[in-house]
Amino acid sequence: MVKRLQEFKIIRYFFKPYKGRLLILLCVMLISGLLETLNIVALYPVISYGLNLKNNNFMFRISIWFINFFGFPNQFFAACVMLMVITITALLVKYIYCVISNKLMARISADTQKNIFNKFTFLNYTFFEKNQQGRLIHTSTIASAQVADIVLYSIKLTYDLIFSFLLFGLLLTLAWKGTLLLVVIGITYSFFVKKVMEGTISRCAHLATEEDRKKNIILNEVITGIKSIKVFRNFPYWADKYNEAVEKSVLNKYKMLMGRLFPESFMKFIFFAILAVIGILLSVKQQDVLISALPLFGTFTMVAARFFPSIQMVVNDLMIITDCVPNVKSVHSLCMQENLSISEGNRQFNQLNDKISFQNVWFSYGSSQDPILKNFSAEIKKKEITAIVGLSGAGKTTIVNLLLKLYVPGQGSIKIDGIDIFEYTDNSYLGKISYVGQETFIFNDTIRENIRFGMLDCSDDMIIEAARKAFAHDFIMRTEHGYASLVGDSGMKLSGGQRQRIAISRAILRNPEIIILDEATSSLDNISEKNIQKAIDMFSKNTTVLVIAHRLSTIQSADKI
């Protein structure tokens, strides 16, 4: 019970911002369900016309009242007109319901995906280190799409419940004894369905969702590391992992489908068995009783033929919602994730006047791990090239990450001109820093857009000038379309050195106060490295440069090592 309540709260979370539209939709659903029921009611005077039956049935009296209200002399003609009017009206209202519900579903789906993306921008760097990329991609794509499904089927469930209750009331007016029999069977059926949902569908849905996440993780790793996988020729290893996840996912989805099939088959059997039993009981009656009962039996059969599928639709809606719950839970968990972004101050950072100072900084990547930095202190003077060298794992990149405000020191402080960097706003502070890392980020667009990197206010001439300073212009012009050339996913069409020169062009374009080069020349040949070194020497006259390097040739012109 507690579990179901939690699931209901999760579903309500996605509906809450749309309460007004949901209220309108609920009203339309009520009208649509009522018209669907009246559509069946309108059939009774048509099929009973000419039998001279007593007006002792509630439904018949309603139908006759409607016919007499409009004053048609020919009751059969009036009954047919009434049936047509109600049918057309019901169709129009049903169309309105579909338009509103589908628009609402699409809007909730779009808003959910936007919220997830915005959530990613606010979460701190540590969150992405702790979570697998494939799992996050699964949550933001496949799982978020199922939020739309659970919204759609929750709306549909409400509509099917309303229609089922209206049909149930109609059945009671027709033959309350037969309806009570249906109730007894319905309770038994509900118990059976509950067992199937809890024992099969819910469990298999969670397992299938987990395997789908594994598939996304494996696929993401294969595409990211395709070069190494091809070189090492270990496709069978990855194929086995992926195929295992696929097979487990398919098996659980098959069990879910079979779990839905059995209740549906059981419902159909019960429906036709009840009709057969009622027909047998009527057949032993006298002929005049049988003839007078046939319109009522026909109408009861027609209502029951709509009632049983509507109940089945309710069950199907519940099963699909149960199927979607695991993915929707993961989306809800992400949306409810506390924004652990590092706090920022309200000072505006305009320029570096004197120096950057690390004062007795301690830092570790976890409370149980040994500190990477222990009482680290250093100064970086304005308009100087400061180089940091050391063994791998010594903490060089950690120093950069701290300066970029990706982490907070455990102890000590990092100051610019005597002011702690965490007192500055992120936009003003990071807007004055350019960074070129070991792993160059190149996205699938043109070379021009990769250099621009979201700076919409810069001209093409500024981009070309930045590329010249990074000694990237010549190789760019040798590509097929120059600056308009597409680079492929992760810059696959470029060499490692070319990717880094584009990244350096991007850094220069921003005209920063501080440039950080974290192994930025590691993939360059000697000639390209010399050219980049010239560029560094040139822009260091007006910019403070921090260089992280292994090779001494990279830092030979540094003012301080």
Side-chain angles (χ1 to χ4, degrees), residues 127-189:
F127 172 82
F128 296 96
E129 287 186 326
K130 292 180 178 179
N131 289 275
Q132 295 171 304
Q133 288 183 18
R135 185 177 291 270
L136 294 177
I137 292 171
H138 174 87
T139 300
S140 59
T141 54
I142 296 174
S144 64
Q146 289 210 342
V147 170
D149 291 339
I150 208 167
V151 167
L152 171 64
Y153 283 97
S154 295
I155 293 171
K156 191 172 176 297
L157 173 64
T158 306
Y159 176 83
D160 290 333
L161 281 171
I162 291 171
F163 190 44
S164 297
F165 278 119
L166 290 170
L167 289 176
F168 179 73
L170 187 55
L171 285 171
L172 281 174
T173 66
L174 290 170
W176 65 269
K177 291 180 180 178
T179 306
L180 289 179
L181 177 61
L182 295 181
V183 170
V184 173
I185 295 171
I187 293 172
T188 306
Y189 173 70

Side-chain angles (χ1 to χ4, degrees), residues 5-267:
L5 184 60
Q6 289 175 342
E7 292 173 355
F8 172 76
K9 288 180 178 179
I10 289 172
I11 295 172
R12 189 181 66 176
Y13 169 82
F14 292 104
F15 277 97
K16 196 172 181 180
Y18 312 94
K19 289 185 290 187
R21 277 177 274 185
L22 284 170
L23 184 60
I24 295 172
L25 185 60
L26 180 61
C27 294
V28 175
M29 283 191 291
L30 286 169
I31 296 170
S32 178
L34 183 61
L35 286 171
E36 290 275 356
T37 308
L38 288 175
N39 201 15
I40 301 172
V41 171
L43 280 170
Y44 188 80
V46 175
I47 61 178
S48 63
Y49 181 76
L51 295 178
N52 296 319
L53 299 177
K54 294 180 180 179
N55 300 344
N56 57 355
N57 185 270
F58 176 70
M59 185 184 70
F60 184 82
R61 291 200 302 270
I62 292 177
S63 304
I64 296 301
W65 182 86
F66 269 105
I67 292 170
N68 293 333
F69 178 79
F70 291 102
F72 286 102
N74 188 329
Q75 287 195 344
F76 184 75
F77 174 78
C80 292
V81 170
M82 182 177 68
L83 177 62
M84 184 181 295
V85 171
I86 293 175
T87 301
I88 294 172
T89 307
L91 183 63
L92 289 173
V93 174
K94 186 67 178 287
Y95 174 77
I96 294 170
Y97 155 74
C98 291
V99 169
I100 296 174
S101 62
N102 288 333
K103 277 190 174 182
L104 180 61
M105 179 198 69
R107 174 45 46 203
I108 294 176
S109 175
D111 289 348
T112 301
Q113 292 178 48
K114 290 177 182 177
N115 289 339
I116 290 174
F117 189 86
N118 291 335
K119 193 73 177 182
F120 285 158
T121 64
F122 285 105
L123 292 169
N124 65 18
Y125 190 65
T126 305
F127 172 82
F128 296 96
E129 287 186 326
K130 292 180 178 179
N131 289 275
Q132 295 171 304
Q133 288 183 18
R135 185 177 291 270
L136 294 177
I137 292 171
H138 174 87
T139 300
S140 59
T141 54
I142 296 174
S144 64
Q146 289 210 342
V147 170
D149 291 339
I150 208 167
V151 167
L152 171 64
Y153 283 97
S154 295
I155 293 171
K156 191 172 176 297
L157 173 64
T158 306
Y159 176 83
D160 290 333
L161 281 171
I162 291 171
F163 190 44
S164 297
F165 278 119
L166 290 170
L167 289 176
F168 179 73
L170 187 55
L171 285 171
L172 281 174
T173 66
L174 290 170
W176 65 269
K177 291 180 180 178
T179 306
L180 289 179
L181 177 61
L182 295 181
V183 170
V184 173
I185 295 171
I187 293 172
T188 306
Y189 173 70
S190 300
F191 177 78
F192 174 66
V193 168
K194 186 174 183 293
K195 289 294 182 183
V196 171
M197 287 177 60
E198 291 181 349
T200 302
I201 296 178
S202 181
R203 177 173 53 84
C204 290
H206 281 84
L207 293 173
T209 298
E210 189 57 38
E211 295 305 325
D212 285 341
R213 288 173 183 163
K214 286 181 183 178
K215 286 192 301 182
N216 276 273
I217 291 168
I218 295 167
L219 198 59
N220 179 68
E221 290 171 343
V222 168
I223 293 172
T224 303
I226 190 66
K227 184 175 182 179
S228 298
I229 292 171
K230 278 184 171 293
V231 170
F232 284 94
R233 309 301 301 165
N234 60 353
F235 269 118
Y237 168 75
W238 292 98
D240 288 343
K241 287 181 68 176
Y242 187 77
N243 292 342
E244 182 183 2
V246 169
E247 290 299 327
K248 288 182 178 179
S249 176
V250 167
L251 177 61
N252 284 295
K253 287 177 180 177
Y254 168 75
K255 291 179 179 179
M256 288 160 53
L257 290 172
M258 293 304 294
R260 294 177 192 171
L261 177 63
F262 283 129
E264 183 178 352
S265 301
F266 176 76
M267 176 65 83

Side-chain angles (χ1 to χ4, degrees), residues 256-526:
M256 288 160 53
L257 290 172
M258 293 304 294
R260 294 177 192 171
L261 177 63
F262 283 129
E264 183 178 352
S265 301
F266 176 76
M267 176 65 83
K268 287 181 179 178
F269 168 75
I270 291 297
F271 171 63
F272 288 109
I274 290 172
L275 291 182
V277 170
I278 294 175
I280 291 170
L281 292 174
L282 284 175
S283 66
V284 300
K285 300 288 186 178
Q286 294 180 1
Q287 189 173 6
D288 58 336
V289 176
L290 176 61
I291 291 174
S292 64
L294 282 178
L296 188 62
F297 175 67
T299 308
F300 184 87
T301 302
M302 191 176 298
V303 177
R306 300 289 296 274
F307 177 68
F308 272 98
S310 69
I311 291 295
Q312 183 59 49
M313 291 306 297
V314 168
V315 173
N316 285 340
D317 296 341
L318 286 170
M319 288 182 175
I320 293 173
I321 289 170
T322 302
D323 180 16
C324 295
V325 162
N327 276 318
V328 174
K329 277 184 176 178
S330 67
V331 175
H332 178 259
S333 177
L334 178 60
C335 291
M336 297 304 291
Q337 178 79 35
E338 184 181 357
N339 286 341
L340 298 174
S341 55
I342 296 171
S343 60
E344 57 178 311
N346 52 19
R347 284 177 175 268
Q348 294 295 314
F349 177 63
N350 297 313
Q351 63 178 16
L352 172 63
N353 295 314
D354 183 19
K355 64 183 179 182
I356 304 167
S357 58
F358 289 77
Q359 299 177 356
N360 306 315
V361 173
W362 290 70
F363 181 80
S364 65
Y365 285 100
S367 57
S368 60
Q369 298 183 16
D370 293 332
I372 299 293
L373 299 177
K374 300 178 181 179
N375 204 32
F376 173 76
S377 297
E379 289 186 351
I380 301 169
K381 294 285 188 180
K382 179 182 179 179
K383 294 184 180 180
E384 287 188 356
I385 302 175
T386 302
I388 299 177
V389 295
L391 299 173
S392 296
K396 302 185 299 298
T397 299
T398 300
I399 293 170
V400 170
N401 290 340
L402 288 169
L403 187 57
L404 293 172
K405 297 176 72 172
L406 296 177
Y407 302 109
V408 179
Q411 296 180 39
S413 62
I414 305 169
K415 296 183 177 181
I416 290 183
D417 298 332
I419 299 173
D420 195 298
I421 62 172
F422 294 99
E423 292 184 24
Y424 293 115
T425 64
D426 288 346
N427 286 338
S428 67
Y429 176 72
L430 296 175
K432 299 292 184 180
I433 298 177
S434 283
Y435 168 75
V436 182
Q438 302 175 45
E439 300 177 0
T440 306
F441 174 58
I442 302 292
F443 55 96
N444 193 357
D445 207 326
T446 62
I447 292 174
R448 180 185 295 109
E449 292 308 313
N450 269 279
I451 296 175
R452 191 193 306 275
F453 205 58
M455 279 188 64
L456 302 179
D457 57 344
C458 68
S459 66
D460 289 350
D461 289 339
M462 294 168 65
I463 292 172
I464 293 170
E465 181 62 24
R468 288 185 187 277
K469 290 180 179 179
F471 295 91
H473 178 74
D474 290 342
F475 92 77
I476 292 173
M477 295 308 298
R478 288 194 296 269
T479 60
E480 184 177 0
H481 301 293
Y483 284 85
S485 297
L486 293 171
V487 299
D489 287 334
S490 302
M492 290 179 68
K493 295 181 180 180
L494 304 175
S495 69
Q498 290 172 335
R499 288 196 294 270
Q500 283 194 311
R501 275 181 279 175
I502 287 176
I504 292 171
S505 303
R506 178 191 297 165
I508 294 172
L509 179 64
R510 274 151 179 72
N511 192 26
E513 285 285 316
I514 304 163
I515 287 184
I516 300 172
L517 304 172
D518 187 358
E519 295 288 355
T521 60
S522 60
S523 298
L524 301 180
D525 54 63
N526 290 333

